[in-house]
Amino acid sequence: MILNSYFLAVALLSLVGFYALVFRSNMIKITMGLAIIASAVNLFLISLGYRYCGIAPIFTDAPIDPSQSQLKMVLPVPQALTLTSIVISLAVTALMLSLSVLLYRKTKSLDIRDIKEALSND
Amino acid sequence: MIEFFSTNGIALLIAVPLLSAFLTPLFEKINRFLRNLYIIFSVIVTVTIGFFVSYTIFVSGTLVYTLGATEPGLTMPSGLRVPVRIVLVADAFSAFMILSSSIIFFVSTIYSFGSIRKGFGKYFSLFFIMAASVFGILCTGDLFNLFVFIEILSISSTGLIAFRKEKPLSLISAYNYLIVSAVASLMILFGIGILYGQYGMLNIAAVSRAIKFSFVDVFAMVLLIAGLAMKCGSVPMHFWVPDAYGRAPSAVTAFLVVSSQASLYALFRVSFMLFAGFSLIQLVALAIITFGLLSMFIGVTMALVQKDIKRLMAYHAVSQTGYMLLGVGVGLFSINTTFYSHGLLAMEGGIFHIINHALYKGLLFLTAGAIIYATKERDLNKIGGIARKMPFTTIFFIIGAAAIAGLPPTNGFASKFLIYESVFVFNPLLSIIAVIVSMLTLISFVKIFCSAFLGPEREELKNIKEVPKPMLVAMSLLALCIISFGLFPDSVLKAIIEPAAKALLSQGAYLEAVF
């Protein structure tokens, strides 16, 4: 049962992230919310491949006869997926922050609702 | 040579634009002429490969390419029961989408040579990455790869939407687009993770064979379909469309239409390949039909009140996406029922509408871009009487508007009529709504035509000229496609649409090609 606590953490983290996305209007906070959801998904992926007391999935460490051995290995594929997904979410975060910087330079505000209002009045 | 291209074609289709994306800035360092030469060369190579690949698929069936294997066709090394490598698969439906994307890619490149004035190298780097990711989405046979390509697509399109970065409005549109697509892709990734946790596989064909439709799978299905529907710009997550389409440079907008259609492709692929055997699939189909109807109606009514010419057209894009969802949704509904033949017809209409939409919406966005280029003005109330000064643009606009409203000599008529006819058997009410939406579309385009092209000449628009030649050539190519598709709908239907609809409906060929 204690193993499922990962999934509880995933649900909580994504809720926090969605809260920030929906109810915050500061662009930095929205970016943070998105990063938190990304971490939740990454945590989900990595916990899919976790095995209790498992070892790293390295070929030379593998037991010769898997049916006789007690040794367990964590799954390698979710780790590869998570690495890719981390890189992508880094790119998204960087892009969002750079857009925020550009918008701040133009409008001197970080609040997305204020900016939209100011622009629609023009 | 031909042999080489037919076996490696789908890998090259992704590799060539990706390589060009990183070589273009290097050529920019040398000189401008060489850079332009390289861009033209590489676009022609990509488009030729695209045409060739889709021709090969229509003639000789599904293509498979296994990345990293000793032989391209070796999906499963000996002793394995599921494909472990990343597999690229392209069947007739992918071939159809590759064809339509290649045409638009080619045309918007030509248009860019006239319309983009500064930052040409950067622009084309992003444009090539976008093309590579669109072709990647269309060719991939692997769920995680699909996610990666969708993310590359959203990052590169964000860059292009914000391309005129001196304008705060385009920055804020890009920001909105990025939020929506990042959330959508995270939902897709979550869904893919759930499927991986259940079956330990990422290959679409392998998952499709193993799937058992447990409660958790249904959750994954909801996440995947919702995420992809957000990305293709259907109601209720359509609010990014007018911003993004309206603010991006026009050549990019034409290609953004294709890229949202790539998400639409992924939506159809996932719902037909993975979830077609699901007992509640008709519920899913009804949901898709409902979203389609809502998109049609909300899109067109919002378009009626717009003043900005590109925003207006973007709302029409939402409304036209509804037609595709309607056609293919009816097809999905009828997959195991008695009106299968009408379902197939509705699917053909929906799929035909995809390529037609890409063509005429592309043309309309390009004419809008031409108007903005010539007059420096996007407010319809401030444009008037430009028909005398820009005769070619006017003709192209009339062709595009006739096609979007579904008037007879154009391609829009062919696909819309197919949808009305087959959906009428399913439920007459849906057809009636579709016809009404079509009429509203016509009204809205007549409005633009009257206010922008006709009417008295305006004092401040006295000195406008017709746009540069590359832009005219690009528009005329699309107009030619629209007319020829409209004149010979039967042969187009037989040659490309029917195989595509059948490929989507029957998963046998896809599974056979992978296993």
Side-chain angles (χ1 to χ4, degrees):
Chain A
M1 194 57 223
I2 190 79
L3 288 177
N4 288 340
S5 59
Y6 299 117
F7 301 121
L8 204 65
V10 169
L12 279 178
L13 274 177
S14 31
L15 280 181
V16 170
F18 270 111
Y19 175 80
L21 265 188
V22 177
F23 293 107
R24 296 286 144 191
S25 57
N26 186 309
M27 283 194 283
I28 306 289
K29 286 179 182 161
I30 291 175
T31 312
M32 281 163 74
L34 206 62
I36 291 173
I37 301 176
S39 317
V41 177
N42 289 339
L43 178 64
F44 174 69
L45 284 178
I46 208 83
S47 59
L48 280 179
Y50 181 70
R51 296 286 176 271
Y52 186 62
C53 290
I55 59 161
I58 296 168
F59 185 68
T60 46
D61 292 349
I64 295 152
D65 186 0
S67 56
Q68 297 295 313
S69 165
Q70 296 294 311
L71 204 60
K72 276 189 282 188
M73 285 179 157
V74 297
L75 296 185
V77 178
Q79 301 192 0
L81 304 189
T82 313
L83 262 181
T84 318
S85 147
I86 288 172
V87 174
I88 291 174
S89 68
L90 172 81
V92 171
T93 312
L95 196 54
M96 286 183 84
L97 286 178
S98 59
L99 285 174
S100 319
V101 168
L102 281 173
L103 270 171
Y104 182 75
R105 275 196 201 143
K106 302 265 183 244
T107 58
K108 298 289 167 224
S109 165
L110 273 176
D111 190 293
I112 197 153
R113 282 174 202 149
D114 286 356
I115 294 176
K116 273 183 189 163
E117 229 161 74
L119 290 179
S120 60
N121 288 340
D122 283 348
Chain B
M1 191 67 180
I2 299 260
E3 181 75 4
F4 175 78
F5 276 108
S6 59
T7 46
N8 302 308
I10 34 180
L12 286 174
L13 192 59
I14 305 169
V16 170
L18 204 55
L19 179 72
S20 312
F22 296 101
L23 283 185
T24 310
L26 290 181
F27 278 101
E28 169 126 49
K29 288 276 173 231
I30 304 171
N31 73 34
R32 289 174 127 197
F33 176 71
L34 212 60
R35 176 200 68 193
N36 290 356
L37 210 66
Y38 178 71
I39 289 172
I40 293 169
F41 168 73
S42 135
V43 168
I44 287 177
V45 168
T46 313
V47 172
T48 318
I49 294 173
F51 284 157
F52 181 74
V53 163
S54 47
Y55 172 76
T56 318
I57 294 168
F58 283 128
V59 171
S60 60
T62 311
L63 284 181
V64 176
Y65 186 90
T66 317
L67 294 172
T70 45
E71 296 220 0
L74 195 68
T75 50
M76 281 182 290
S78 56
L80 287 175
R81 266 179 293 168
V82 288
V84 286
R85 291 198 175 97
I86 293 172
V87 182
L88 303 177
V89 192
D91 66 356
F93 186 47
S94 326
F96 161 76
M97 295 294 294
I98 290 171
L99 186 70
S100 109
S101 317
S102 305
I103 296 173
I104 302 296
F105 179 50
F106 185 60
V107 167
S108 37
T109 314
I110 301 177
Y111 190 88
S112 308
F113 272 93
S115 67
I116 301 295
R117 275 169 261 185
K118 54 184 177 187
F120 210 68
K122 284 178 211 157
Y123 172 86
F124 266 102
S125 285
L126 287 169
F127 205 63
F128 276 126
I129 296 180
M130 206 170 148
S133 58
V134 166
F135 289 130
I137 293 172
L138 300 182
C139 290
T140 187
D142 184 278
L143 282 171
F144 190 72
N145 229 270
L146 180 71
F147 161 76
V148 172
F149 281 124
I150 286 179
E151 276 287 17
I152 297 176
L153 177 62
S154 26
I155 291 170
S156 55
S157 353
T158 306
L160 283 173
I161 294 167
F163 188 68
R164 305 223 159 99
K165 64 176 189 296
E166 63 281 358
K167 291 182 185 146
L169 267 173
S170 54
L171 291 175
I172 209 143
S173 316
Y175 193 81
N176 280 347
Y177 173 76
L178 189 56
I179 292 175
V180 173
S181 48
V183 172
S185 356
L186 286 173
M187 279 162 75
I188 293 165
L189 181 60
F190 201 26
I192 291 169
I194 292 172
L195 286 178
Y196 180 80
Q198 295 264 301
Y199 305 108
M201 289 177 287
L202 286 167
N203 190 285
I204 294 178
V207 174
S208 142
R209 228 171 44 166
I211 200 159
K212 293 193 181 62
F213 308 112
S214 62
F215 173 70
V216 190
D217 288 344
V218 176
F219 190 53
M221 176 180 79
V222 170
L223 281 172
L224 275 170
I225 291 181
L228 288 166
M230 268 164 91
K231 282 232 46 164
C232 75
S234 110
V235 168
M237 294 308 260
H238 64 289
F239 58 84
W240 64 268
V241 176
D243 285 347
Y245 284 14
R247 287 288 152 186
S250 293
V252 176
T253 314
F255 204 62
L256 269 178
V257 172
V258 172
S259 73
S260 345
Q261 286 181 349
S263 310
L264 202 66
Y265 162 86
L267 174 68
F268 294 159
R269 175 64 78 209
V270 164
S271 41
F272 278 90
M273 278 305 291
L274 295 183
F275 305 116
F278 183 35
S279 55
L280 293 176
I281 191 67
Q282 298 194 329
L283 216 61
V284 180
L286 280 181
I288 290 181
I289 293 171
T290 317
F291 283 140
L293 282 178
L294 283 176
S295 308
M296 275 157 71
F297 206 73
I298 294 177
V300 83
T301 40
M302 289 297 284
L304 282 172
V305 296
Q306 297 301 317
K307 287 194 198 83
D308 182 321
I309 181 162
K310 271 178 86 181
R311 270 183 87 85
L312 191 153
M313 289 186 179
Y315 273 112
H316 280 297
V318 175
S319 142
Q320 299 299 313
T321 309
Y323 279 93
M324 300 162 213
L325 288 172
L326 175 67
V328 179
V330 170
L332 187 63
F333 188 87
S334 66
I335 204 163
N336 285 321
T337 58
T338 45
F339 42 72
Y340 178 80
S341 59
H342 291 290
L344 184 67
L345 217 58
M347 291 266 303
E348 281 176 16
I351 290 173
F352 197 10
H353 207 66
I354 292 180
I355 194 166
N356 292 343
H357 176 68
L359 293 173
Y360 62 64
K361 202 79 231 179
L363 178 61
L364 284 171
F365 276 125
L366 295 188
T367 51
I371 294 171
I372 296 170
Y373 183 93
T375 62
K376 310 266 182 309
E377 191 58 70
R378 48 200 309 154
D379 190 341
L380 278 171
N381 292 337
K382 292 180 187 155
I383 310 172
I386 57 174
R388 289 176 208 90
K389 294 283 170 61
M390 303 169 73
F392 292 112
T393 309
T394 313
I395 294 168
F396 297 139
F397 179 83
I398 293 172
I399 293 173
I404 197 173
L407 297 183
T410 56
N411 60 0
F413 172 72
S415 55
K416 279 191 177 175
F417 197 70
L418 215 56
I419 294 176
Y420 300 151
E421 209 179 34
S422 50
V423 170
F424 189 80
V425 182
F426 174 71
N427 189 341
L429 192 66
L430 299 186
S431 256
I432 294 168
I433 295 175
V435 174
I436 292 174
V437 168
S438 205
M439 275 151 59
L440 290 175
T441 310
L442 185 61
I443 293 173
S444 151
F445 275 91
V446 167
K447 187 186 103 183
I448 305 183
F449 185 66
C450 290
S451 70
F453 288 93
L454 304 180
E457 208 168 14
R458 280 176 176 261
E459 202 54 39
E460 60 272 23
L461 298 178
K462 260 217 156 89
N463 299 320
I464 60 167
K465 283 198 292 281
E466 188 61 278
V467 288
K469 283 213 177 58
M471 294 163 81
L472 287 179
V473 170
M475 289 189 276
S476 61
L477 280 176
L478 281 180
L480 202 71
C481 285
I482 289 172
I483 297 288
S484 51
F485 273 39
L487 288 180
F488 310 104
D490 274 352
S491 38
V492 176
L493 270 174
K494 272 223 176 58
I496 58 175
I497 312 294
E498 219 176 277
K502 285 204 172 121
L504 198 53
L505 272 175
S506 59
Q507 310 134 20
Y510 193 94
L511 291 181
E512 215 168 85
V514 176
F515 286 106

